[in-house]
Amino acid sequence: MADTLFGYSIPFPTYDLYVAITAVALYIPSIILTTPEAFGRRVQASRAAGSDLPPAVGIDGVQYLHVKVGDLLWVATTRVNLSPSLVSELLLRITVICRDYFGQVTEECVRRNLPLVYELLDEVMDYGFPQNSSTERLKQFIAIQPQAARSLPPGVTGVAGGEAFDRPAEVIKSVLDTSRTGPVKDEIFVDIVERLTATFDATGRQKSSSITGAVQIKSYLSGNPPIQLGLNEDLIIRGREGGPASHASSDAVVLETCSLHQAVDPRRLDTDRVLELVPPNGHFAAMNYRSTRSFRPPFRVYPLMEDDAVAPDKLTLYVRLRAEFPPSKTATGVELRLPLPRSVQRVHVETDGARPATLGLPSKTHFAQGAEWVERDRVLVWNLKHLRGSQEHTLRARLTVDAGSVEAVKRDYGPITVQFVLPGKPSASGLDVRYMKILKQEKNYNPARWFRVVAVANSYQIRPHWL
Amino acid sequence: MARGGRSGRARGEVAEICKALDHLTSMNGAKPEVIQMKRDCFQKLLRYMTQGIDMSAAFVPVTKCVALSKSDLPLKKMQYLYLRTTARQNSSVALLVVQTLLNDCKDLDPTIRGAALRSMASLRVPELMDTVFMAVEAGLRDPHHYVREAAVMGVLKCWHADAAGCRLRGLLGEVERALTADGDAQVVANCLYVMQQVGALKVTRDLVVSLLNHIHSFSDWAQCFVLDIVGDYSPASEEERFDILEVLDFGLSHTNSAVVMATVKLFLNHTAAFPDQQSQVLGRVRDALLTLVSGREHEVVYAALSNTLVLAKRHPDAFAPLFTDFYCRYQDPSYLKALKIDMLVAVTDASNAYDIAEELSQYIRDVDEQLARQAIRAVAAIALKVPEVNGILDRLLLFLGYEKDYVTAETLVQMAVVLRRYPDAAEACVDSIVEVNPETLAGPDERAAYIWVLGEHGQRVQSAPYLLEALVEGFADEAAKVRLALLAAVPRLFFRRAPECRGALGALLAAGAADADVEVRDRALFALRLLRHDVHAAREVLGAPLPLISRPGEEQAAEVEDRIFDEMNTLSVLYRAPAYTFIDPTITSVGAYDTDGEGSEEGVAGQGAPTDPTGMLLDVDTRSEASAGTAAPSPTPGSSVPDLLSLSSGPAAGAGRGAPDLHVGIGFPPAPALAGAGLDLLGDLEAVAGSSPAPAQNLGASLGGSGAGAGQPMDGGIADLLGGLGFGDPTPARPVTAEVGVEGNEKTGLLVACSGIWADATLADHGAPANPTHAHAAPPQTFAARWAELAHSARSAQVDLPLGVLPALATGAGVLARVALAAPTTSVRVVLEVAGPPGSNLQDALEGLQNLLLCL
């Protein structure tokens, strides 16, 4: 259905890619017949070159802008010199709407819901000009029902990194569940998601760190009542008014910058440190912020490369991973990656069993770990499904290297990167939601409220060598 | 969009759907289970259409199905999707479609009215325009905003289909009224958009005030649009300007990056004329941008960071303290990492240079070779940027020992660049460079760089002549670029270590003179002639060090950067090229003016060429004779040598890329004026070839005197050497033509060689091709800078190179002028004016020029 005005064309069978293209022609002065083939060739070429396709490419006078969500590329085309931020945000917004409607944005889901996707795009864009795009407002006008995916992919919760947090298992549901069909179940999810950036040297010294965080809300409240989220009273937000009168308190929570969703009343934040808002249905970030406060690193990694006493072409690599957080917390999806130089020929990896630092009984669930040497990418990958606080694990790898390159290998391995999802209070920045009020004048109205704090790795890196 | 190969299968599918629909129409359309079956069938139908199958044959059953289940909205909406596509594929059903839609435009449900109207306006079937006009007109007065939104956009659709019809019915007037009168923000936004698209939007103060008063009721996208419009509005007074900024301040802390960017642009625009205010605003803007840059979606970060880079180039001080925010993260995609490296270089100053260089050093471990190379280039760029560089040079030296060959190679190329800036650093570096095994250097760039270092700093390296000699032995197997590098390096070292280099030079010139590549051959012949004719002059030319460079060759011209700055928050910033290079449909290649070396990574067609050390090798400049320990100033009569063209000191060096379409014209003033006192070059060369010992003796003497050689007498010296090559008359007589077309290419740019000295060479002001201007007063140093400018800004220009005094030709010294043209589509005329004192011989001048042409 290559509609000449909206030119969406899904999927993309000509190329053997797990890519679907949804094209939205923007601000069209003249009609564009989108050509997914030309763009597809560009996608393929950049894959072959091993690089990532930049978000904007021009082909024959048509500008193709895309965002990548999961395995899908969502593409907009235009001939006008538009703001790339606008296009990216709009495409992301469309994916969020789709997620709100059919739970997941995978190729299968999009394919099954093609007519709905068309209808959504038709409502969001008219003649290339963005129309109202809130899930809330769209609900009134969208008629086609979503189709559930045949099967949920396995391990939705276990995937490491921020992606996993985008779609926690319990929230794969459609906004329509609460609005049009089925029994009404009011729920609201408030998450503080913090992405940690930290760099360490081989001795575990922290060289740099920063936190970017968001207060994310998923609201399925009927009637859209306003809500209040009480933040830390002593919160200091640079560039904004309010906060504690005296700056004496040294452990006050400080946010360097902060941006607010349009639904949030900024005055209440300034006066009372309260996020007051009328949450629209669906996913959105009520507040984004940055903090440069130094936090206690949740993980420490100590790599050590040892010569072999007997064999001159062998090395032993030890990587010690320590969970520095309290035992009440458990990190999931911990993945440590350690690249090795080309002169490493063979690698034999072994990991220990669970060895809690405190002398206790090893817990049954905390054994799940595995390490492998991925020859193709020249990287050692160590996965720990769960890692409870205060635990420590060691990976031991026997390396066989090219003759005479022992010193070079010792000098050139790394950097080690760690991915993790670590739920639990307190947050790294110290930001907290102390209470949540739902301002609805109705007796016995007590919707389910979910509040979580999660830290994920943004860039958590150990560099064994500082040149 | 039916595709030919599918027609057979498609017929089967059309039949299948028609049959299913017919079956459904025979059932009771009010039953829920029948409706569900219809929906499933429609979904299937739409899926087939996605595959490009023409389903217009199913029109009748589709319409029937819907008519029998009137109350079901999903069916209706799927029907619209079907109708819109079908009407376009098959105009015979369009009339029927319109009738259906027209009925729905009068439906009680506003959702149906709106959707029907939107679909109808999108039909664009000329015969049905009257019906569409009527529906749109009615829609504009609809009580429900959803219908009015569709109607306003419908006006624009009509306008594109039939502008005259729109005018006739006064639809634009209606839209203009709605712009100020309608109570729904989205309707107003649509009106604004329509008015702007048809070019009828008048941005008055009242309009701006009204938009700003309601700014919060607009959707994010409409806010961006309003911000763009307000950004172009010039406030009448200072207070008004402040008011606007105050009202829009919320935009800087918006969670939608599109709103933030639009606000940033507006703030910068509205304070542009007030530097002190802008510096205040800058802090706010910077914090807003940094929040976006630390965001999660790569595409959003990329757009924000691209804009931040443009701003940081203007105000590096504001961003320098925040350099750690631009460090790469390991899951960043490659385009983002590349951008961050550029950003780090942009914010480097004396205070953070070491930290940034340390961080960049980590990136050379990246699995992505291009990124590792870029990191090395960035470290070298930092070395050129900050005054205290030793620590950074040490870092580059460490890279040389890294296990990956491409790291060594790229480092070597960059070392050569740094050494051109800081020749004094050679002492610390040359030993490490020479340790590199040339066998591991695969590419011509790094081999040329290696050779350049040996030629330029060979006096510090005991084994340099022998290393070069070994390379000369493999001359035939080298790339043209490497051969040219040898032709530059060996003569250069020869003038300092003549006895050791003699063998290599002889073999080199012999091989070069027989080379198949025109450029290589010309260069070898030129060196040969020059050496034969006058070794002093030859030393001036061939033995001269290159001019110092002050900054990396990849930077863009200020004019281009300004333009991109003005186009902030558009694609220009991502492509690093002004809009006209990729938006104007007449320009097919985006890369035409993409002058940034990294352009190709932006997915733009521009093929960036890395800094080209051979380019530097070809440059000639004798101004800084003393710097590299050459002999005392030349005793030749042509002491105007210092005024030689120095073409490489500007950003154009090595920037030659694309395929410039060059036209070089040699123009003569009228004959009487052409009284050049030239020397018969051919005759002279023959005299040399006839083994006249004088020049060689001169050379020997001066070499001995300079102490650069080994101090041995050179029996027969260069005369033997040259005579032995049997180099005869190289210049067949050929009439001089007034204009010669020369095809330049990306490797060479335009090579101008002349057996003579251009006592004064200036570049005239460039102008439009129809109106060339002539200016002769510009000093030669500006030549390179002007060329760069020219190449960036002009598509076509005329350049005058007045050849000053012809007696210079008589010295027999030569000049190589390498004009690196940065823009592939530039068409250039080079006009040489020859003039001289009275009494000079026209014939001599002609022959001098003929020689020049031969080399072109």
Side-chain angles (χ1 to χ4, degrees):
Chain A
M1 183 180 291
D3 187 316
T4 47
L5 289 181
F6 300 90
Y8 14 99
S9 169
I10 314 169
F12 209 53
T14 326
Y15 306 95
D16 185 25
L17 303 173
Y18 288 113
V19 170
I21 291 188
T22 305
V24 181
L26 280 160
Y27 285 37
I28 341 159
S30 60
I31 294 141
I32 306 170
L33 274 165
T34 53
T35 50
E37 284 77 17
F39 181 74
R41 277 193 294 276
R42 192 62 76 84
V43 173
Q44 211 176 29
S46 82
R47 285 199 167 195
S51 61
D52 302 291
L53 187 71
V57 291
I59 305 168
D60 297 334
V62 178
Q63 313 306 320
Y64 294 78
L65 292 98
H66 78 266
V67 297
K68 191 167 184 233
V69 177
D71 286 333
L72 300 187
L73 298 188
W74 297 72
V75 184
T77 58
T78 180
R79 280 183 196 272
V80 181
N81 198 13
L82 281 180
S83 156
S85 302
L86 180 109
V87 182
S88 298
E89 289 280 359
L90 185 65
L91 288 170
L92 287 168
R93 179 73 211 151
I94 289 169
T95 66
V96 169
I97 294 169
C98 287
R99 191 173 59 183
D100 284 342
Y101 270 88
F102 40 87
Q104 280 177 304
V105 198
T106 61
E107 194 190 2
E108 194 208 342
C109 283
V110 172
R111 220 188 269 277
R112 287 178 65 81
N113 287 289
L114 269 186
L116 175 57
V117 173
Y118 290 151
E119 192 190 2
L120 284 169
L121 287 175
D122 208 20
E123 297 291 342
V124 173
M125 304 284 297
D126 193 359
Y127 208 44
F129 189 65
Q131 302 293 303
N132 88 63
S133 63
S134 70
T135 305
E136 180 60 30
R137 276 189 74 171
L138 281 173
K139 254 183 2 188
Q140 308 167 39
F141 307 112
I142 293 293
I144 301 173
Q145 290 163 314
Q147 309 275 313
R150 260 178 285 249
S151 61
L152 293 179
V156 173
T157 45
V159 185
E163 279 297 313
F165 204 70
D166 283 345
R167 37 187 159 91
E170 67 269 35
V171 203
I172 297 182
K173 58 185 258 181
S174 162
V175 282
L176 297 192
D177 293 352
T178 58
S179 57
R180 286 189 184 244
T181 56
V184 175
K185 191 184 179 202
D186 278 14
E187 281 181 298
I188 183 162
F189 298 81
V190 175
D191 302 325
I192 291 185
V193 184
E194 298 199 328
R195 297 179 307 125
L196 310 185
T197 300
T199 313
F200 305 87
D201 64 12
T203 63
R205 202 159 56 94
Q206 198 164 352
K207 303 278 277 191
S208 69
S209 71
S210 70
I211 304 163
T212 54
V215 178
Q216 293 184 339
I217 296 180
K218 294 180 206 90
S219 168
Y220 301 96
L221 299 177
S222 60
N224 297 94
I227 63 165
Q228 285 183 349
L229 302 175
L231 305 181
N232 316 42
E233 273 162 358
D234 59 351
L235 185 66
I236 297 169
I237 306 174
R238 299 210 195 280
R240 294 199 83 91
E241 295 156 17
S246 69
H247 294 272
S249 163
S250 62
D251 54 346
V253 179
V254 181
L255 305 183
E256 293 301 317
T257 60
C258 132
S259 60
L260 298 175
H261 189 271
Q262 218 182 337
V264 178
D265 181 352
R267 282 162 301 183
R268 289 280 283 153
L269 180 64
D270 288 344
T271 54
D272 307 328
R273 293 300 182 238
V274 167
L275 288 177
E276 183 170 316
L277 66 154
V278 180
N281 279 18
H283 301 50
F284 67 99
M287 175 167 122
N288 289 320
Y289 58 89
R290 285 192 323 131
S291 164
T292 50
R293 159 171 149 153
S294 63
F295 54 88
R296 187 185 158 93
F299 298 93
R300 284 192 192 275
V301 177
Y302 304 97
L304 178 68
M305 198 71 103
E306 268 186 4
D307 288 314
D308 193 296
V310 193
D313 61 342
K314 289 217 188 320
L315 283 165
T316 310
L317 169 72
Y318 297 95
V319 182
R320 208 148 54 90
L321 171 68
R322 245 172 61 199
E324 298 269 298
F325 44 88
S328 57
K329 288 189 184 184
T330 299
T332 57
V334 179
E335 182 185 88
L336 184 145
R337 295 174 73 87
L338 191 157
L340 290 171
R342 267 189 301 186
S343 43
V344 175
Q345 293 170 344
R346 280 197 309 279
V347 180
H348 176 76
V349 206
E350 52 193 66
T351 55
D352 58 357
R355 193 176 53 200
T358 52
L359 285 173
L361 290 172
S363 123
K364 57 186 187 311
T365 54
H366 295 175
F367 275 96
Q369 61 160 316
E372 61 169 333
W373 163 239
V374 184
E375 177 97 43
R376 191 172 53 93
D377 303 332
R378 309 208 60 82
V379 62
L380 255 177
V381 183
W382 184 14
N383 278 302
L384 299 98
K385 279 195 185 126
H386 304 277
L387 181 61
R388 211 172 58 174
S390 308
Q391 282 185 329
E392 180 175 316
H393 291 278
T394 306
L395 171 141
R396 184 165 164 273
R398 294 269 290 162
L399 316 180
T400 310
V401 304
D402 291 342
S405 60
V406 164
E407 288 308 312
V409 171
K410 282 159 93 174
R411 204 173 58 225
D412 286 338
Y413 73 95
I416 302 165
T417 56
V418 187
Q419 296 277 20
F420 55 83
V421 176
L422 178 61
K425 281 190 184 187
S427 67
S429 67
L431 186 77
D432 193 14
V433 172
R434 290 178 300 114
Y435 61 84
M436 184 192 320
K437 278 187 199 158
I438 299 173
L439 309 174
K440 189 165 181 176
Q441 307 296 330
E442 201 175 290
K443 268 186 187 168
N444 302 327
Y445 183 70
N446 195 14
R449 304 161 204 214
W450 306 92
F451 173 63
R452 293 181 298 182
V453 173
V454 174
V456 298
N458 186 19
S459 182
Y460 203 85
Q461 207 170 30
I462 295 90
R463 295 173 173 174
H465 325 278
W466 293 85
L467 287 171
Chain B
M1 272 217 343
R3 293 185 179 93
R6 289 213 177 122
S7 55
R9 197 166 69 93
R11 268 195 294 279
E13 280 142 1
V14 174
E16 173 203 334
I17 291 285
C18 286
K19 198 175 153 208
L21 288 171
D22 280 337
H23 178 63
L24 286 169
T25 50
S26 67
M27 296 161 85
N28 181 356
K31 279 189 181 169
E33 64 268 24
V34 175
I35 290 179
Q36 189 55 49
M37 283 160 74
K38 284 182 178 174
R39 286 182 188 173
D40 291 347
C41 191
F42 273 43
Q43 296 235 2
K44 205 176 203 174
L45 170 78
L46 290 174
R47 217 164 283 137
Y48 283 143
M49 292 173 73
T50 316
Q51 294 165 17
I53 300 168
D54 182 353
M55 283 286 172
S56 50
F59 177 77
V60 176
V62 165
T63 318
K64 256 193 201 167
C65 266
V66 178
L68 291 170
S69 309
K70 254 200 159 65
S71 58
D72 195 58
L73 194 56
L75 275 184
K76 201 100 211 167
K77 291 207 111 178
M78 284 193 270
Q79 186 199 10
Y80 293 153
L81 291 172
Y82 166 78
L83 291 181
R84 283 227 303 261
T85 312
T86 305
R88 209 161 301 130
Q89 284 173 340
N90 190 335
S91 56
S92 63
V93 300
L95 193 64
L96 297 167
V97 171
V98 165
Q99 204 47 54
T100 315
L101 291 173
L102 210 53
N103 290 337
D104 286 344
C105 283
K106 295 171 187 131
D107 199 282
L108 285 177
D109 185 343
T111 309
I112 291 182
R113 289 204 302 275
L117 181 58
R118 193 167 56 222
S119 301
M120 194 147 98
S122 303
L123 285 180
R124 293 195 318 278
V125 179
E127 305 88 66
L128 303 171
M129 278 314 291
D130 281 341
T131 328
V132 176
F133 276 131
M134 267 159 31
V136 168
E137 256 180 310
L140 286 172
R141 289 186 292 271
D142 197 281
H144 198 278
H145 66 87
Y146 182 71
V147 185
R148 294 201 302 278
E149 284 164 23
V152 172
M153 293 312 293
V155 172
L156 186 60
K157 295 171 192 172
C158 291
W159 175 269
H160 285 147
D162 180 4
C166 274
R167 256 188 233 108
L168 200 68
R169 286 169 176 80
L171 287 181
L172 287 181
E174 297 252 354
V175 172
E176 199 169 4
R177 264 194 298 285
L179 177 60
T180 47
D182 204 288
D184 183 83
Q186 189 61 48
V187 175
V188 172
N190 286 3
C191 289
L192 204 59
Y193 175 64
V194 172
M195 295 304 285
Q196 192 237 28
Q197 285 293 301
V198 302
L201 184 66
K202 291 185 275 301
V203 185
T204 60
R205 185 172 183 280
D206 288 346
L207 179 66
V208 169
V209 169
S210 137
L211 291 175
L212 292 181
N213 282 341
H214 299 102
I215 189 79
H216 292 284
S217 45
F218 288 112
S219 73
D220 293 356
W221 326 115
Q223 278 181 3
C224 293
F225 194 67
V226 169
L227 284 165
D228 285 350
I229 284 170
V230 176
D232 292 338
Y233 166 74
S234 334
S237 66
E238 187 83 336
E239 294 96 90
E240 196 177 318
R241 207 161 51 82
F242 280 126
D243 286 347
I244 292 176
L245 295 186
E246 200 182 318
V247 168
L248 295 179
D249 192 67
F250 78 97
L252 289 177
S253 54
H254 205 285
T255 49
N256 187 324
S257 74
V259 179
V260 177
M261 284 314 308
T263 313
V264 164
K265 184 171 184 178
L266 182 139
F267 270 54
L268 291 174
N269 269 357
H270 277 204
T271 56
F274 310 90
D276 50 328
Q277 288 170 24
Q278 181 148 42
S279 63
Q280 281 175 18
V281 161
L282 199 62
R284 299 266 297 124
V285 159
R286 182 190 64 191
D287 290 346
L289 288 171
L290 284 179
T291 307
L292 299 183
V293 165
S294 63
R296 191 167 49 158
E297 284 90 8
H298 299 312
E299 295 85 4
V300 171
V301 172
Y302 183 69
L305 190 61
S306 298
N307 284 296
T308 311
L309 177 59
V310 170
L311 192 59
K313 281 184 176 169
R314 279 275 172 102
H315 306 282
D317 297 347
F319 289 89
L322 302 161
F323 61 96
T324 53
D325 286 306
F326 308 118
Y327 284 177
C328 293
R329 313 246 156 96
Y330 53 79
Q331 75 273 53
D332 285 341
S334 52
Y335 57 80
L336 197 51
K337 285 182 178 168
L339 181 59
K340 284 186 170 177
I341 292 176
D342 286 346
M343 187 71 194
L344 285 173
V345 175
V347 301
T348 300
D349 64 11
S351 71
N352 58 23
Y354 281 95
D355 288 328
I356 291 178
E358 185 176 81
E359 177 72 17
L360 288 168
S361 304
Q362 294 288 331
Y363 302 160
I364 69 164
R365 295 170 195 284
D366 199 284
V367 287
D368 184 346
E369 177 183 333
Q370 289 312 316
L371 199 80
R373 284 179 178 267
Q374 199 198 347
I376 296 164
R377 285 198 292 274
V379 173
I382 288 173
L384 295 185
K385 206 173 164 184
V386 296
E388 203 31 68
V389 291
N390 284 338
I392 293 161
L393 278 181
D394 289 347
R395 209 160 272 291
L396 278 173
L397 288 177
L398 278 176
F399 298 166
L400 278 180
Y402 195 68
E403 64 153 353
K404 288 175 181 144
D405 286 347
Y406 62 78
V407 171
T408 312
E410 186 67 44
T411 306
L412 198 56
V413 172
Q414 296 307 319
M415 287 298 293
V417 174
V418 174
L419 284 179
R420 280 201 64 193
R421 172 80 169 78
Y422 305 104
D424 297 343
E427 201 155 349
C429 309
V430 166
D431 286 344
S432 310
I433 293 174
V434 171
E435 271 174 29
V436 172
N437 179 3
E439 298 294 314
T440 63
L441 303 175
D445 289 340
E446 47 263 29
R447 291 184 79 79
Y450 176 77
I451 290 164
W452 178 80
V453 173
L454 287 180
E456 192 72 18
H457 299 284
Q459 74 275 19
R460 296 177 200 274
V461 183
Q462 189 60 37
S463 58
Y466 308 103
L467 291 168
L468 281 175
E469 194 166 354
L471 286 162
V472 168
E473 277 168 25
F475 187 80
D477 301 328
E478 300 285 4
K481 184 173 198 174
V482 182
R483 302 204 294 275
L484 286 169
L486 279 168
L487 280 167
V490 175
R492 171 117 174 80
L493 192 59
F494 170 76
F495 287 109
R496 282 166 296 164
R497 298 173 66 170
E500 296 160 285
C501 287
R502 254 179 69 193
L505 184 62
L508 176 71
L509 292 181
D515 202 281
D517 186 291
V518 174
E519 199 185 347
V520 174
R521 190 172 62 241
D522 283 348
R523 213 178 136 85
L525 290 178
F526 166 67
L528 202 53
R529 286 177 206 157
L530 202 53
L531 282 164
R532 280 184 177 167
H533 180 66
D534 183 343
V535 282
H536 292 295
R539 191 178 59 216
E540 289 300 329
V541 174
L542 301 176
L546 291 176
L548 299 183
I549 53 170
S550 56
R551 55 183 199 145
E554 290 175 7
E555 286 182 23
Q556 284 179 317
E559 194 183 314
V560 176
E561 285 197 350
D562 286 352
R563 212 158 169 158
I564 294 173
F565 187 87
D566 292 341
E567 292 170 13
M568 192 182 253
N569 194 26
T570 65
L571 290 167
S572 311
V573 173
L574 264 58
Y575 295 153
R576 301 192 197 176
Y580 68 86
T581 59
F582 59 92
I583 288 298
D584 185 344
T586 57
I587 293 175
T588 50
S589 165
V590 177
Y593 291 91
D594 176 56
T595 49
D596 188 294
E598 305 311 315
S600 55
E601 291 177 28
E602 310 289 328
V604 180
Q607 293 300 309
T611 308
D612 170 0
T614 322
M616 302 167 196
L617 305 184
L618 283 168
D619 302 329
V620 173
D621 189 329
T622 54
R623 279 173 295 162
S624 44
E625 291 164 68
S627 66
T630 44
S634 158
T636 45
S639 49
S640 46
V641 168
D643 286 334
L644 291 180
L645 300 175
S646 65
L647 291 175
S648 69
S649 56
R657 60 187 63 127
D661 171 24
L662 295 175
H663 299 285
V664 177
I666 308 287
F668 287 94
L674 228 191
L679 169 113
D680 185 341
L681 189 78
L682 297 181
D684 216 66
L685 273 170
E686 273 155 17
V688 177
S691 81
S692 153
Q697 281 168 357
N698 284 349
L699 174 65
S702 69
L703 281 175
S706 73
Q712 300 163 352
M714 298 170 64
D715 323 323
I718 198 162
D720 282 355
L721 170 71
L722 300 177
L725 293 174
F727 177 64
D729 180 357
T731 337
R734 198 169 58 162
V736 178
T737 50
E739 202 165 307
V740 182
V742 174
E743 286 295 317
N745 65 42
E746 70 217 65
K747 286 206 308 287
T748 61
L750 164 65
L751 185 74
V752 184
C754 169
S755 297
I757 288 176
W758 297 349
D760 178 31
T762 56
L763 177 70
D765 278 331
H766 62 270
N771 181 24
T773 52
H774 299 252
H776 301 275
Q781 294 91 298
T782 62
F783 191 85
R786 300 297 293 278
W787 262 109
E789 208 181 306
L790 180 78
H792 282 303
S793 59
R795 291 199 213 171
S796 174
Q798 179 161 328
V799 183
D800 288 24
L801 299 173
L803 268 186
V805 203
L806 260 189
L809 278 173
T811 66
V815 168
L816 274 178
R818 184 177 185 281
V819 178
L821 294 173
T825 56
T826 306
S827 162
V828 178
R829 274 170 65 90
V830 177
V831 176
L832 299 174
E833 277 177 32
V834 182
S840 14
N841 187 330
L842 178 63
Q843 183 61 32
D844 290 344
L846 280 176
E847 279 185 10
L849 280 169
Q850 198 173 341
N851 237 319
L852 166 71
L853 284 175
L854 190 72
C855 297
L856 278 176

